[in-house]
Amino acid sequence: MAESWDGSYDHGSQSDESYQFERLHVEPIYDAFVCPLTKQVMSDPVTLENGHTFEREAIEKWFKECRESGRKLVCPLTQKELRSTELNPSMALRNTIEEWTARNEAVQLDTARRSLNPGTPESDVLHSLKYIQYMCHKSRSNKHAVRNADLIPMVVEMLKSTSRRVRCKALETLQIVVEDDADNKAILAEGDNVRTIVKFLSHEQSIEREEAVSLLLELSKSEALCEKIGSVNGAILILVGMISSKSENLSTVEKADKTLGNLEKCENNVRQMAENGRLRPLLNQILEGPPETKLSMASYLGELVMNNDVKVLVARTVGSSLINIMRSGDMQSREAALKALNQISFHEASAKVLIEAGILPPLVKDLFTVGTNQLPMRLKEVAATILANVVNSGDDFDLIPVGPDHHSLVSEDMVHNLLHLISNTGPAIECKLLQVLVGLTSSSSTVLNVVAAIKSSGAINSLVQFIEAPQRDLRVASIKLLQKVSPHMGQELADALCGVVGQLGSLFKVVAENIGITEEQAAAIGLLAELPERDLGLTRQMLDESSFPLIISRVVKIQQGEIRSARFMTPFFEGLVRVLSRVTFVLADEPDAIKLAREHNLAALFIQLLQSNGLDNVQMVSAMALENLAQESKNLTRLPELPPPNLCASIFSCFSKQPVISGSCRLHGGTCSLKETFCLLEGQAVEKLVALLDHTNEKVVEAALAAISTLLDDGVDIEQGVAVLCEAEGVRPILDVLLEKRTENLRRRAVWAAERLLRTDDIAYDVSGDPNVSTALVDAFQHADYRTRQIAERALKHVDKIPNFSGIYPNTGQTAF
């Protein structure tokens, strides 16, 4: 019965290998050491009343099974009933067994020690490592024996083995040896051992990585070792990477995460984690840590390089906490908070989160506060930088109160304060505050407020002076601000630029820089383009300073592909053309403008620019410039000198005969050329302008139609002008513009041109049969402005839709629009 019971005895959770180690003995085993039930050496021998000795756990299990089955309590060996189940410890036998076991284990540990060297066969090394594991599992005291036998350094040496199986078993053994044993952990952490373990994290074999992570997890439970693990170059980076890796198994990921969680006990490790993308520990310290830790982590956050997604996360997590520190902390804490907020604010989305968190009021207060508790200038510069970043993120800043009496950033007093601060600080802060104003003028809802405040403060002259600042960033910010406000205060800017020697020239120097196309150059030419085009004094100054040849040179280089820039090319090119076109607005009053246009053949250049497909503004401005040039053609055409009539002809008119003059312009009746008189009959100008009548942008169409209308204007041969348009197949496109009725301006111009065309009988005859044109003219006659109705009436008379014997509207002139 005892034998059958022994066969079913559970040896506990021991593996087969552990069971085999139990049966290995150097000294001979005595029968008295072996439990009759388990057939193993006893560790807690107890004696029954009949003198037989058993392992305590085994005999207690025997008695339990007897009771549960209803059998009598008998001795497993004699099968005789026992009067008592009292178990008497056999101390002498236990001591003897322990001494015997200790002698055997010491010998086997020594054997294992001798096996742990590079020359030992792999199987013997693995056997020794397994034995060490068995010993450490068996009792905690054996871990001391392993340590005292200097086995830990020897197991570490096995990590250098060429056998992957040995390396893995060594990592596994070390984890068991140091588990819950601070002394063993301290020995393992000596020298470069931790670095050696970390190296296994980057091994290709996943089993080695997993064993290494398991070992590091155990070591990281010791707070004393956390800093050492974190100090190993790449340790935290690799662990963070393992967590985000999709190729790692779940167990490895969980252990890596727990290891990092333990390493968070050290502030340096928290910083490293943040640097490598694991920010949550650092953010938690800012939210929940003691004051000195909050200060330390906030300071580090201000130095940390973050991608945009991380900035948004940080703003959402600790933005409010940092703002509170900025609002109420001591100067050291406020500095740390400001620098951290500065880092976060550089991204539009995170800046908007900070606005929602209420950053604007304390930020503005810090900038404007003077006296007690004011920020030093270096921190005011940081505050100004944050404000510039936040403002340039775009928002309804006219709706966000930032000061007393619900003043917003664009209220007059607030803008006055900003302008005053700009005039009384150093270049660095001036630059940032100008950038604040740039941001506020970037929105159509706030730019007028800023413009009004600049006008009321008289600050325009002060702002213009920054154009000559030696600091590039300051100069760029001022030029960008002036460009933003120039559509709303162009004349004030023109007066300021003309009134101070050098500043207009400084803008052209920026444009002339031969360094590609920069943001500064695009802003400078954009500012110049917005100045009033008909300001004769400004244009004369540009002519006197030889600014236009520079502009022409840049335009030609861009056309020829010598200047390339994807980002700022379009605004820069458009600005150049707009500035160049202003020459054509002063032709009648400025001989030097005509001279310049002739020398550089501007008419031909603008005709080429008509074909700048995709650049609507360039095409529109070029058409407008050609209109101005063509208007001047009438005055520049040299009419031929007619010979005096002979005596008979002077007496008798029948003898007079009009002389035939060859080579004269059919439109202007004199000597014409594109270069000298800007006549549009050359250079295929008419055909290119007609092509633009089909443009999708109505402003381009309007400018093209205005230029074409110079062919039909008073002062030229209108009949020949019509003929030119017929040859260029331009009649139908003009009538199509009338039919489309896209804008009121276009309708006015189209009605005027149609009336001139309909003066030709053939065209009038053709159009009279087109009900659509008649309907469009009738609509203009009924609903357009007074002058257009007059012209529409005349046009309807040409096609016999209105009787020609009277005029409904009195004639007040027929000049082109």
Side-chain angles (χ1 to χ4, degrees):
M1 185 175 178
E3 288 177 358
S4 65
W5 184 89
D6 176 59
S8 63
Y9 175 69
D10 180 11
H11 300 296
S13 60
Q14 289 177 313
S15 65
D16 291 339
E17 288 179 346
S18 297
Y19 182 65
Q20 292 300 322
F21 286 128
E22 287 281 5
R23 302 181 67 83
L24 289 175
H25 308 292
V26 179
E27 292 186 19
I29 189 170
Y30 299 96
D31 291 341
F33 293 177
V34 178
C35 173
L37 290 174
T38 65
K39 301 301 188 287
Q40 295 186 39
V41 176
M42 293 180 285
S43 60
D44 188 9
V46 292
T47 304
L48 301 180
E49 63 181 19
N50 61 6
H52 292 291
T53 302
F54 301 89
E55 180 70 56
R56 179 186 294 275
E57 183 182 353
I59 192 63
E60 286 178 346
K61 183 174 182 181
W62 169 268
F63 289 155
K64 180 181 179 183
E65 290 183 355
C66 287
R67 292 188 185 97
E68 289 176 352
S69 63
R71 292 184 279 110
K72 295 179 180 180
L73 297 177
V74 298
C75 174
L77 291 179
T78 65
Q79 296 299 309
K80 291 182 179 180
E81 187 174 355
L82 298 171
R83 294 190 302 273
S84 169
T85 59
E86 182 179 356
L87 304 176
N88 298 309
S90 180
M91 299 305 297
L93 179 59
R94 177 173 179 171
N95 291 338
T96 302
I97 292 174
E98 287 178 351
E99 290 172 2
W100 176 85
T101 301
R103 289 195 299 274
N104 275 284
E105 289 177 346
V107 173
Q108 292 192 49
L109 278 177
D110 187 59
T111 302
R113 190 174 186 278
R114 288 196 299 271
S115 298
L116 295 178
N117 65 72
T120 304
E122 178 188 274
S123 59
D124 290 349
V125 175
L126 291 173
H127 179 82
S128 297
L129 292 172
K130 291 173 184 175
Y131 181 72
I132 294 172
Q133 291 183 20
Y134 156 74
M135 288 288 292
C136 292
H137 276 309
K138 185 176 179 182
S139 72
R140 185 180 181 85
S141 62
N142 285 343
K143 294 189 177 185
H144 305 316
V146 169
R147 178 174 70 248
N148 294 334
D150 289 331
L151 282 169
I152 295 176
M154 301 187 73
V155 176
V156 171
E157 281 298 309
M158 292 300 100
L159 296 177
K160 302 175 184 177
S161 171
T162 57
S163 167
R164 182 173 62 85
R165 295 177 63 197
V166 170
R167 294 195 302 269
C168 289
K169 186 60 68 175
L171 288 167
E172 181 184 303
T173 303
L174 288 171
Q175 182 197 349
I176 295 168
V177 169
V178 301
E179 188 174 6
D180 298 326
D181 193 306
D183 293 332
N184 284 0
K185 287 177 181 175
I187 291 174
L188 177 56
E190 291 176 353
D192 281 344
N193 291 343
V194 175
R195 187 184 305 277
T196 301
I197 297 166
V198 168
K199 288 181 180 178
F200 282 94
L201 297 178
S202 57
H203 276 217
E204 293 183 3
Q205 295 294 334
S206 60
I207 187 169
E208 289 180 272
R209 286 202 303 273
E210 186 168 0
E211 292 294 350
V213 171
S214 298
L215 178 53
L216 286 173
L217 173 58
E218 186 58 41
L219 292 176
S220 68
K221 294 176 183 176
S222 168
E223 190 168 346
L225 296 183
C226 285
E227 186 169 358
K228 185 152 192 174
I229 295 171
S231 67
V232 176
N233 186 34
I236 289 177
L237 171 61
I238 296 172
L239 287 168
V240 171
M242 293 174 77
I243 292 173
S244 59
S245 173
K246 296 180 180 179
S247 60
E248 296 289 347
N249 65 58
L250 185 59
S251 173
T252 303
V253 170
E254 289 177 351
K255 289 175 182 176
D257 190 47
K258 289 179 180 178
T259 303
L260 288 169
N262 292 335
L263 296 180
E264 292 173 14
K265 300 166 190 170
C266 174
E267 283 190 17
N268 286 334
N269 292 343
V270 171
R271 293 188 182 94
Q272 279 198 67
M273 290 178 201
E275 185 178 336
N276 292 299
R278 185 180 171 96
L279 270 94
R280 185 60 64 178
L282 183 143
L283 301 182
N284 287 339
Q285 294 280 22
I286 293 176
L287 291 172
E288 303 168 2
E292 62 274 10
T293 302
K294 284 186 176 183
L295 174 60
S296 172
M297 294 295 109
S299 298
Y300 183 72
L301 188 60
E303 301 169 2
L304 190 62
V305 177
M306 296 174 274
N307 64 39
N308 290 337
D309 290 340
V310 171
K311 288 176 184 175
V312 175
L313 169 67
V314 173
R316 287 174 177 163
T317 307
V318 299
S320 296
S321 297
L322 292 171
I323 291 169
N324 288 334
I325 295 173
M326 180 187 77
R327 182 185 286 118
S328 56
D330 56 33
M331 193 58 69
Q332 189 178 12
S333 299
R334 290 168 70 189
E335 179 175 358
L338 279 168
K339 290 182 176 178
L341 289 165
N342 184 32
Q343 281 281 54
I344 304 168
S345 66
F346 272 99
H347 178 50
E348 180 178 320
S350 55
K352 288 185 176 181
V353 173
L354 294 178
I355 293 172
E356 293 174 4
I359 193 173
L360 287 176
L363 202 58
V364 170
K365 182 180 178 182
D366 278 346
L367 273 173
F368 294 151
T369 297
V370 293
T372 307
N373 207 32
Q374 73 169 347
L375 290 177
M377 274 302 173
R378 60 185 177 82
L379 293 186
K380 284 202 173 188
E381 180 183 342
V382 178
T385 304
I386 298 171
L387 184 58
N389 294 338
V390 168
V391 167
N392 280 281
S393 69
D395 214 318
D396 296 325
F397 293 105
D398 53 333
L399 304 178
I400 304 174
V402 297
D405 302 323
H406 299 285
H407 285 171
S408 71
L409 270 179
V410 293
S411 65
E412 188 173 42
D413 288 346
M414 200 63 68
V415 177
H416 283 175
N417 288 337
L418 285 170
L419 293 169
H420 177 74
L421 201 56
I422 289 171
S423 301
N424 293 278
T425 54
I429 300 182
E430 289 170 344
C431 175
K432 298 304 177 183
L433 294 177
L434 285 170
Q435 289 175 3
V436 171
L437 292 176
V438 170
L440 294 176
T441 53
S442 297
S443 167
S444 58
S445 63
T446 56
V447 62
L448 294 179
N449 300 69
V450 178
V451 168
I454 292 174
K455 288 181 177 180
S456 63
S457 66
I460 190 65
N461 289 322
S462 299
L463 294 175
V464 165
Q465 290 175 5
F466 287 114
I467 292 174
E468 295 184 295
Q471 298 84 4
R472 183 179 179 279
D473 289 346
L474 179 56
R475 194 170 65 244
V476 171
S478 67
I479 293 174
K480 287 175 68 176
L481 173 61
L482 295 174
Q483 182 201 6
K484 296 285 187 183
V485 301
S486 58
H488 309 284
M489 50 190 311
Q491 192 58 58
E492 290 88 344
L493 274 169
D495 294 341
L497 289 169
C498 287
V500 180
V501 177
Q503 288 168 353
L504 184 62
S506 295
L507 285 174
F508 280 101
K509 285 180 183 177
V510 170
V511 174
E513 290 177 359
N514 193 21
I515 50 174
I517 302 174
T518 65
E519 182 183 21
E520 181 183 12
Q521 289 177 306
I525 199 66
L527 166 58
L528 290 166
E530 289 293 346
L531 299 177
E533 55 202 13
R534 298 183 185 276
D535 188 314
L536 182 58
L538 185 61
T539 303
R540 278 178 175 162
Q541 186 169 336
M542 291 180 183
L543 286 166
D544 292 342
E545 295 179 5
S546 299
S547 301
F548 290 110
L550 161 69
I551 299 297
I552 294 168
S553 171
R554 300 292 275 181
V555 169
V556 172
K557 285 183 177 180
I558 291 175
Q559 279 187 305
Q560 294 174 347
E562 295 180 26
I563 301 177
R564 298 180 181 275
S565 173
R567 186 175 179 188
F568 300 111
M569 172 66 83
T570 298
F572 184 70
F573 192 38
E574 290 178 351
L576 289 173
V577 176
R578 288 182 64 189
V579 172
L580 183 57
S581 72
R582 68 180 297 124
V583 174
T584 68
F585 286 90
V586 297
L587 295 171
D589 303 307
E590 185 53 62
D592 285 345
I594 294 176
K595 181 181 177 183
L596 178 83
R598 285 172 169 168
E599 286 179 358
H600 295 277
N601 200 1
L602 288 190
L605 179 58
F606 283 119
I607 290 171
Q608 293 175 13
L609 292 172
L610 291 176
Q611 296 178 293
S612 302
N613 295 327
L615 299 175
D616 294 5
N617 287 337
V618 171
Q619 292 176 309
M620 177 187 70
V621 172
S622 299
M624 292 170 63
L626 287 171
E627 178 195 5
N628 295 337
L629 289 166
Q631 290 285 9
E632 196 61 24
S633 294
K634 296 178 289 188
N635 303 323
L636 298 176
T637 297
R638 286 185 291 111
L639 297 176
E641 293 184 7
L642 299 178
N646 57 37
L647 181 61
C648 293
S650 61
I651 299 174
F652 304 103
S653 59
C654 60
F655 288 103
S656 91
K657 185 178 181 181
Q658 191 71 23
V660 177
I661 303 171
S662 62
S664 61
C665 175
R666 61 194 286 198
L667 188 66
H668 300 108
T671 303
C672 277
S673 71
L674 181 64
K675 182 176 181 180
E676 296 296 325
T677 66
F678 321 133
C679 179
L680 295 186
L681 299 193
E682 293 187 23
Q684 294 185 320
V686 178
E687 290 83 353
K688 292 172 182 176
L689 288 167
V690 167
L692 291 181
L693 295 180
D694 193 37
H695 203 286
T696 55
N697 187 330
E698 59 268 11
K699 291 185 178 180
V700 175
V701 177
E702 184 178 343
L705 184 55
I708 290 170
S709 296
T710 60
L711 303 175
L712 307 173
D713 205 356
D714 295 334
V716 302
D717 190 327
I718 297 176
E719 186 177 334
Q720 287 298 320
V722 173
V724 169
L725 285 173
C726 289
E727 293 165 9
E729 299 182 355
V731 175
R732 190 70 242 179
I734 293 174
L735 296 177
D736 287 340
V737 172
L738 173 65
L739 296 178
E740 288 173 3
K741 190 186 170 184
R742 292 161 71 176
T743 68
E744 197 58 38
N745 280 342
L746 266 179
R747 179 162 75 168
R748 281 198 297 269
R749 288 195 178 277
V751 168
W752 184 91
E755 189 275 331
R756 295 284 168 131
L757 291 171
L758 293 174
R759 293 180 185 182
T760 301
D761 293 340
D762 290 343
I763 297 175
Y765 178 77
D766 290 339
V767 169
S768 63
D770 187 338
N772 292 325
V773 175
S774 299
T775 300
L777 290 171
V778 169
D779 184 70
F781 174 66
Q782 294 175 338
H783 303 108
D785 60 76
Y786 179 79
R787 188 179 175 197
T788 303
R789 292 202 301 270
Q790 281 185 305
I791 299 170
E793 177 193 0
R794 289 196 297 273
L796 288 169
K797 289 178 181 179
H798 296 323
V799 293
D800 296 329
K801 298 298 180 182
I802 291 180
N804 201 21
F805 55 81
S806 66
I808 296 176
Y809 297 103
N811 189 355
T812 58
Q814 304 177 31
T815 307
F817 287 87

